[in-house]
Amino acid sequence: MVDAVVSYVVETLGDYLIQEVNFLQGVRDEVESLKKELEWMQSFIKDAEAKQAGNNLIRRWVSDIRDIAYDAEDVLGKYMLSVHGVNDEGTSEIEHSPVVDDEGTSQRWQGFFASIKKCSCLSGEKASHRESNLFSKGKEKVTLYNIGKEIEALKKRLGDVSRRCESYGLQNIIASDKKELAEKRDLDRLKELRKAASFAVEENPVGFEDDTDLLLAKLLDKEQRRLVISIYGMGGLGKTTLARKLYHNNDVKNKFDYCAWVSVSQDYKIKDLLLRIIKSFNIMTALEDLETKTEEDLARSLRKSLEAYSYLMVIDDIWHKEDWVSLKSAFPENKIGSRVIITTRIKDVAERSDDRNYVHELRFLRQDESWQLFCERAFRNSKAEKGLENLGREMVQKCDGLPLAIVVLGGLLSTKRPQEWREVRNHIWRHLRNDSIQVSYLLDLSFNDLSHQLKLCFLYLSLFPEDFVINVEKLIRLLVAEGFIRQDEDRTMEEVAKDILDELINRSLIQVEKRCWGRISTCRVHDLLRDLAIQKAKELNFIFICDEAKNPTRSSVISSCRRQAIYSHSPSYFWLHHGNSLARSLLLFNQWWDETLGVKRHLPLLFERFFLLRVFDVEADLDRESTLMHWSNRLSEKIGDLIHLKYLGLRNSNIGILPSSIVKLQRLQTLDFSGDVGCPVELPIEINMMQELRHLIGNFKGTLPIENLTNLQTLKYVQSKSWNKVNTAKLVNLRDLHIEEDEDEWEGETVFSFESIAKLKNLRFLSVKLLDANSFASLQPLSHCQCLVDLRLSGRMKKLPEDMHVFLPNLECLSLSVPYPKEDPMPALEMLPNLIILDLHFRCHYVKKLGCRAEGFPLLEILQLDADGLVEWQVEEGAMPVLRGLKIAAEIPKLKIPERLRSVPPPAEWECEDSRNGF
């Protein structure tokens, strides 16, 4: 894990060298030297971490390097504060960047003051006063004067670490392959447990009835071609248990001539695997001769032996799609009904394992199934004691349907006295880890298989509260702001971050909570995996969580931790006054925006103290009755001192006025003032100078000074009158645009033109909501937006263009709210080749009949129809062949739904919900 932290810091130092070339004049060589030293250390860390569990010296050595990496980032952060005019207490000192030499003497300050005097904004008495003030403070602060010495001190510490490595012979220990290390022994024990598990059969495992019936049908089907059945899901979900039940089924045993089972896991050799498969099939007599054969010979022998027989092969716990590919040639496609079962945690492995493949995602247990499984283990099928049932149900709910956690919990509690149950409840995950090697190492396997970047992103999820539903778009922006995401040549950092989250989802480390408009909208982390992330993150001193409801005592850990999360409605703010001023991230959850209480009155102090913040985000609680709608706040001018800030989120804050000092935040990427009760925000003219801005989110009114924001990707929500005045020529990267009309700006009937939007060549998502009286001009200008995939329009429109399929060929999601269309919209819409979701709202004053022709809507999956007054809907055979969700509004009771569509269920309630929630 430390390798991930050091790798991140090395990349951060590299970013400083590239982005701050004008300010690193006197210390550039030192920074480059420090970066190289850390890179050299990095080459040993990964191997060292694998051995640290069995050696305290190595653990300490690795920890020392981690601390130096953190301190290196701190030194550069404070240095940039100095050259940008903010001291290490967050107060402004200078207005411009000075010239730096490399001697560190008092002459440096004389040159420094001379450079200040040359600046046009400082002259005469003001400059003299500033010079005198700075000179008196210079030796007391972390400034340009001693930055080189701090870097030298870090290099000396690295040198000391290297010498200790040599003195204590750590390199020899790290390089050794001795298997007596505790971690290796435990892992070997786990593998033995997995092997033994294939022979142990549970007669009636809870919760697998439907899965068993479905997969048995696939195994026993009369189809003669070989079929690969891939079962995937989170570790501990029961994939092996289900495969074992299928493997030992009597009908299965009677169907196949030969059956074999092998567990793969992460580290294996093809030859050893083939040997184990051959021994499991038990179809060769001269087994002693096999050891001398090559991989190719073994594969050939196995293939020849199976040629004339039907077989069932179970390959348990595959981690890479290449695993089956490397074995595939040993299993003949003899067209006599053979089957292969693969279990994996990784969706991509399951889906791409074979050309003829059936993929089965294993679900979590329902609440009733979870309780049944728990009772079988905890009470041995006897009746649950009344006093323990409530505690038991509370703990089972925490397990969130994960069978392994429930089984281990039940077994643990079956040995506990009733008075001990409450202690287990209070520290449930610690008890589960201590009681079962399987729980710890099944989860560790998933974590250890991640790359540096994936590890950091997974650990970051531990900052979010238990059972917290995480908005995916917001999470992507946070990961980018944290610096965890590297820029690709042909993809934005946001696209790279999305791929990383998709990978964590594919690896069953993140659960999808909602899919909205064809995309993953929200996600969450299973509590057991969250606990794993917290455990790993705390080992790295990567996060600090202040949860005053659970732990009111104050910890000293906060003094050195870089990322902090606060869970509290009414925190004591001890962390604000005594917390680590070097913190990079501060995430506040369940806060109250109140005029006299809560976080609001502490913002100025917060901005002064946490001067190295990169991320500051507040999730306000709206459950409390409030008068927020009746007042508006001005953001403190002190915000301008946070020059490192990349992400500022003050949702539901009712901050409506931004100070001009915000222009100092030249690194800011995301500005989020949105929310369900967010008041309108006025953007200062200085916003136009913030070239790094990528996401502007809020309820923006008045002038939009955004013409020069060439990196802007997201803009929502803006008034149409304001948008019409924007010159969009330079907004070349805008991808997500939401425009809304406000009743307060109504000036009579108007026509909205798409001409300005036509210049946005990279636009993906467009939403325009007009007042009922206003209308759209022609959609034709959107033909220039060939990347458009999601379009949502609300307003009057005479008719849809007949050639929509030509100029919007990539459109996947379409929502139209058109009061009184004069023609049936279906002929224009059904030809859209990639349309997946269609949401139609209109009043049928002129149109009483809809018609869908054969072969229309070839990819449509979801249709929502709200057409008051509609009488007839004709759907020809062959139209909408893949429709899986249909929702017809109750307001059109006279409409007769075509017979073949009546059995189509409605989509999930959130699949087409309006995303006007601030994200």
Side-chain angles (χ1 to χ4, degrees):
M1 295 176 295
V2 173
D3 63 328
V5 170
V6 175
S7 175
Y8 162 72
V9 172
V10 167
E11 290 172 346
T12 301
L13 295 181
D15 289 342
Y16 272 117
L17 289 169
I18 294 171
Q19 298 171 8
E20 304 294 346
V21 63
N22 293 329
F23 297 119
L24 291 174
Q25 300 167 18
V27 293
R28 182 178 180 83
D29 291 343
E30 286 89 342
V31 176
E32 286 184 336
S33 176
L34 180 62
K35 179 174 176 284
K36 289 177 181 177
E37 289 285 338
L38 284 172
E39 286 175 334
W40 186 87
M41 289 288 182
Q42 189 180 356
S43 62
F44 292 94
I45 291 173
K46 190 169 186 178
D47 290 336
E49 284 192 290
K51 308 293 176 68
Q52 66 176 331
N55 191 296
N56 289 331
L57 283 174
I58 295 178
R59 187 183 299 114
R60 178 63 183 272
W61 183 79
V62 170
S63 178
D64 286 345
I65 296 175
R66 177 204 67 197
D67 292 341
I68 294 172
Y70 280 142
D71 291 344
E73 191 184 10
D74 291 343
V75 168
L76 266 293
K78 289 186 288 185
Y79 172 76
M80 296 315 300
L81 282 172
S82 296
V83 299
H84 282 280
V86 181
N87 66 29
D88 62 338
E89 292 180 355
T91 56
S92 180
E93 284 193 338
I94 56 177
E95 303 292 338
H96 291 269
S97 303
V99 178
V100 186
D101 59 28
D102 58 356
E103 294 181 5
T105 64
S106 61
Q107 283 88 354
R108 171 183 315 206
W109 287 102
Q110 302 301 326
F112 177 32
F113 300 134
S115 67
I116 291 180
K117 288 181 179 179
K118 292 179 181 178
C119 297
S120 59
C121 61
L122 288 177
S123 61
E125 184 178 342
K126 183 178 179 181
S128 297
H129 175 74
R130 185 65 58 85
E131 173 182 337
S132 175
N133 187 37
L134 283 177
F135 191 84
S136 64
K137 293 182 178 180
K139 293 184 179 180
E140 301 173 0
K141 305 205 179 287
V142 180
T143 60
L144 311 179
Y145 163 67
N146 57 12
I147 192 70
K149 290 184 178 180
E150 291 201 37
I151 294 178
E152 284 301 321
L154 288 173
K155 290 170 63 178
K156 183 179 182 300
R157 286 168 61 189
L158 280 174
D160 292 340
V161 168
S162 296
R163 282 189 292 275
R164 282 196 292 273
C165 181
E166 185 176 347
S167 299
Y168 293 107
L170 297 182
Q171 285 178 311
N172 294 331
I173 299 174
I174 293 171
S176 68
D177 289 323
K178 295 179 180 179
K179 294 185 179 181
E180 64 267 24
L181 292 173
E183 187 175 356
K184 180 64 175 174
R185 289 201 308 269
D186 288 343
L187 192 56
D188 289 341
R189 285 173 56 205
L190 180 63
K191 289 180 180 178
E192 292 303 317
L193 285 171
R194 291 190 67 82
K195 290 178 184 178
S198 63
F199 301 103
V201 187
E202 286 186 64
E203 290 187 6
N204 296 299
V206 175
F208 291 112
E209 293 82 3
D210 296 340
D211 305 271
T212 302
D213 292 343
L214 176 63
L215 296 182
L216 272 177
K218 296 291 181 183
L219 287 174
L220 302 175
D221 189 271
K222 294 182 180 180
E223 171 61 53
Q224 295 301 296
R225 292 177 295 173
R226 185 186 66 200
L227 176 67
V228 175
I229 298 172
S230 299
I231 305 171
Y232 81 93
M234 175 181 164
L237 199 54
K239 302 179 295 296
T240 301
T241 301
L242 176 57
R244 187 166 62 235
K245 184 175 182 181
L246 297 170
Y247 182 77
H248 291 287
N249 180 274
N250 288 329
D251 292 335
V252 170
K253 289 289 187 182
N254 293 333
K255 175 182 177 179
F256 298 102
D257 298 319
Y258 291 102
C259 299
W261 179 296
V262 65
S263 295
V264 178
S265 198
Q266 288 169 309
D267 56 332
Y268 70 94
K269 294 180 180 178
I270 291 294
K271 181 176 178 178
D272 293 339
L273 203 54
L274 286 168
L275 281 170
R276 286 197 280 132
I277 291 171
I278 290 171
K279 291 175 183 178
S280 183
F281 271 124
N282 196 24
I283 54 178
M284 297 182 186
T285 55
L287 293 177
E288 63 277 2
D289 297 333
L290 296 177
E291 301 286 349
T292 61
K293 290 189 175 184
T294 65
E295 289 178 14
E296 291 78 9
D297 290 337
L298 289 172
R300 195 178 301 110
S301 298
L302 179 58
R303 183 181 182 85
K304 185 176 180 181
S305 300
L306 294 173
E307 199 88 60
Y309 302 99
S310 64
Y311 57 86
L312 170 63
M313 179 73 240
V314 179
I315 307 176
D316 187 33
D317 200 22
I318 278 186
W319 286 80
H320 309 287
K321 52 183 175 291
E322 296 80 16
D323 296 344
W324 166 242
V325 173
S326 60
L327 295 171
K328 187 175 179 179
S329 62
F331 295 91
E333 170 55 287
N334 47 17
K335 296 186 178 179
I336 47 179
S338 296
R339 301 287 185 267
V340 176
I341 296 176
I342 287 172
T343 71
T344 180
R345 305 180 193 193
I346 303 172
K347 182 180 180 182
D348 190 49
V349 172
E351 292 180 337
R352 301 176 61 183
S353 58
D354 197 82
D355 295 336
R356 295 205 70 252
N357 190 23
Y358 177 78
V359 179
H360 183 76
E361 181 180 7
L362 196 56
R363 65 175 175 85
F364 288 82
L365 296 181
R366 297 189 302 269
Q367 195 61 35
D368 59 323
E369 295 169 333
S370 298
W371 180 245
Q372 179 188 345
L373 178 59
F374 174 78
C375 289
E376 289 179 3
R377 303 294 172 139
F379 304 115
R380 308 298 184 190
N381 289 320
S382 61
K383 190 175 181 181
E385 298 179 28
K386 263 191 175 181
L388 298 180
E389 182 171 345
N390 289 339
L391 273 176
R393 287 189 179 277
E394 184 180 342
M395 286 185 274
V396 168
Q397 189 172 4
K398 291 284 186 186
C399 293
D400 204 16
L402 187 68
L404 175 63
I406 297 168
V407 167
V408 173
L409 177 66
L412 172 66
L413 292 173
S414 69
T415 65
K416 298 286 185 181
R417 298 188 302 273
Q419 56 267 36
E420 294 176 304
W421 277 45
R422 194 172 299 278
E423 171 62 22
V424 174
R425 188 275 310 273
N426 293 338
H427 304 283
I428 182 171
W429 305 124
R430 186 186 72 196
H431 282 282
L432 292 190
R433 287 197 308 269
N434 292 342
D435 192 64
S436 171
I437 182 179
Q438 282 183 290
V439 170
S440 294
Y441 279 94
L442 278 176
L443 300 179
D444 279 348
L445 283 174
S446 291
F447 181 77
N448 293 335
D449 192 54
L450 301 177
S451 66
H452 295 167
Q453 200 173 39
L454 286 171
K455 282 180 180 176
L456 287 173
C457 295
F458 176 68
L459 293 181
Y460 193 73
L461 296 172
S462 62
L463 285 168
F464 293 89
E466 190 175 288
D467 298 322
F468 191 82
V469 177
I470 306 170
N471 181 277
V472 169
E473 289 186 11
K474 174 180 175 177
L475 179 57
I476 286 172
R477 294 191 284 266
L478 284 169
L479 293 176
V480 171
E482 290 284 357
F484 299 155
I485 310 300
R486 297 289 98 189
Q487 182 77 54
D488 266 11
E489 290 183 3
D490 57 347
R491 293 184 299 167
T492 65
M493 286 189 287
E494 286 78 4
E495 289 171 330
V496 175
K498 180 183 179 300
D499 288 346
I500 286 174
L501 290 181
D502 286 344
E503 178 69 10
L504 290 173
I505 291 170
N506 288 340
R507 288 172 172 268
S508 304
L509 291 171
I510 297 179
Q511 297 170 238
V512 175
E513 182 76 7
K514 290 183 181 180
R515 291 181 183 271
C516 185
W517 290 94
R519 295 176 295 279
I520 298 173
S521 173
T522 59
C523 64
R524 58 189 297 269
V525 182
H526 191 281
D527 285 350
L528 193 56
L529 284 168
R530 176 180 177 268
D531 189 70
L532 169 73
I534 289 175
Q535 175 196 353
K536 302 288 187 184
K538 285 185 176 179
E539 290 174 13
L540 285 174
N541 201 18
F542 189 74
I543 68 164
F544 172 81
I545 296 174
C546 173
D547 189 348
E548 294 186 343
K550 291 186 177 180
N551 184 20
T553 60
R554 296 164 181 172
S555 170
S556 60
V557 178
I558 195 171
S559 63
S560 61
C561 195
R562 270 53 174 192
R563 291 172 184 84
Q564 304 174 21
I566 316 296
Y567 311 157
S568 180
H569 281 297
S570 302
S572 66
Y573 293 96
F574 172 84
W575 53 269
L576 182 58
H577 296 274
H578 303 282
N580 177 23
S581 62
L582 301 179
R584 299 301 194 281
S585 305
L586 191 56
L587 279 69
L588 280 65
F589 297 90
N590 304 322
Q591 296 296 306
W592 284 340
W593 287 111
D594 190 283
E595 290 195 68
T596 57
L597 301 174
V599 73
K600 172 185 171 285
R601 63 192 177 97
H602 293 276
L603 284 182
L605 176 59
L606 185 147
F607 295 156
E608 289 180 6
R609 179 167 180 77
F610 294 85
F611 52 88
L612 288 179
L613 279 181
R614 266 195 297 261
V615 169
F616 179 56
D617 183 66
V618 180
E619 280 283 344
D621 189 347
L622 298 180
D623 294 335
R624 186 184 187 216
E625 187 175 340
S626 176
T627 59
L628 288 176
M629 292 300 291
H630 303 297
W631 54 275
S632 177
N633 292 301
R634 176 186 291 273
L635 188 62
S636 169
E637 289 281 348
K638 290 291 183 181
I639 188 68
D641 291 338
L642 304 184
I643 65 167
H644 293 285
L645 203 63
K646 293 187 175 182
Y647 185 105
L648 178 59
L650 300 174
R651 291 171 46 76
N652 296 310
S653 63
N654 273 58
I655 288 176
I657 303 174
L658 305 182
S660 59
S661 66
I662 202 166
V663 73
K664 296 179 183 178
L665 308 183
Q666 288 297 307
R667 290 177 176 81
L668 195 66
Q669 298 172 349
T670 296
L671 186 60
D672 185 352
F673 287 100
S674 60
D676 293 328
V677 296
C679 69
V681 179
E682 294 182 18
L683 293 174
I685 192 68
E686 290 82 3
I687 284 285
N688 219 6
M689 300 168 61
M690 301 170 66
Q691 292 297 302
E692 293 300 314
L693 263 180
R694 305 164 77 90
H695 309 284
L696 262 176
I697 308 167
N699 183 15
F700 299 114
K701 69 172 184 178
T703 304
L704 292 177
I706 60 172
E707 285 87 351
N708 294 322
L709 302 183
T710 57
N711 286 308
L712 194 64
Q713 296 181 23
T714 305
L715 179 60
K716 53 184 180 183
Y717 296 81
V718 299
Q719 298 174 348
S720 60
K721 183 170 64 174
S722 301
W723 173 258
N724 290 335
K725 298 175 183 178
V726 175
N727 181 356
T728 61
K730 295 182 181 179
L731 303 180
V732 293
N733 286 304
L734 194 61
R735 294 163 179 254
D736 192 347
L737 174 62
H738 294 244
I739 301 172
E740 294 187 357
E741 277 191 334
D742 193 319
E743 291 184 2
D744 294 338
E745 65 170 333
W746 190 73
E747 297 177 348
E749 294 186 15
T750 61
V751 177
F752 183 88
S753 172
F754 291 98
E755 291 296 336
S756 61
I757 293 174
K759 300 175 183 179
L760 309 176
K761 307 297 184 185
N762 285 305
L763 196 65
R764 265 72 165 170
F765 314 113
L766 173 63
S767 173
V768 184
K769 294 184 178 180
L770 306 181
L771 299 175
D772 284 349
N774 298 334
S775 61
F776 292 105
S778 171
L779 298 183
Q780 195 67 40
L782 293 180
S783 62
H784 298 283
C785 304
Q786 288 293 293
C787 296
L788 198 64
V789 296
D790 190 317
L791 178 62
R792 307 176 202 181
L793 303 177
S794 178
R796 292 177 178 271
M797 190 182 305
K798 291 182 179 180
K799 60 177 294 187
L800 292 174
E802 296 178 357
D803 58 345
M804 276 188 71
H805 63 289
V806 176
F807 65 82
L808 291 175
N810 298 308
L811 201 62
E812 297 176 0
C813 302
L814 177 62
S815 175
L816 290 176
S817 181
V818 183
Y820 299 102
K822 294 190 175 182
E823 294 182 4
D824 178 3
M826 291 304 190
L829 300 177
E830 66 185 0
M831 297 175 66
L832 289 167
N834 291 298
L835 194 63
I836 297 174
I837 297 176
L838 176 61
D839 184 29
L840 278 179
H841 299 262
F842 57 88
R843 300 186 188 96
C844 295
H845 183 75
Y846 302 103
V847 179
K848 299 293 184 180
K849 173 182 175 183
L850 298 182
C852 298
R853 294 170 292 189
E855 300 182 0
F857 297 109
L859 297 182
L860 192 68
E861 295 183 12
I862 294 175
L863 172 61
Q864 290 197 149
L865 184 61
D866 181 358
D868 185 21
L870 188 64
V871 175
E872 186 177 357
W873 183 24
Q874 293 183 350
V875 181
E876 295 182 5
E877 191 69 31
M880 297 182 283
V882 295
L883 193 70
R884 62 173 178 82
L886 175 63
K887 182 178 180 181
I888 306 295
E891 286 74 18
I892 44 177
K894 295 182 179 180
L895 178 65
K896 293 183 179 179
I897 302 174
E899 181 68 31
R900 71 180 185 88
L901 298 181
R902 292 178 186 174
S903 60
V904 178
E909 60 180 347
W910 56 78
E911 284 196 272
C912 299
E913 70 180 359
D914 188 349
S915 61
R916 182 62 159 103
N917 58 5
F919 291 107

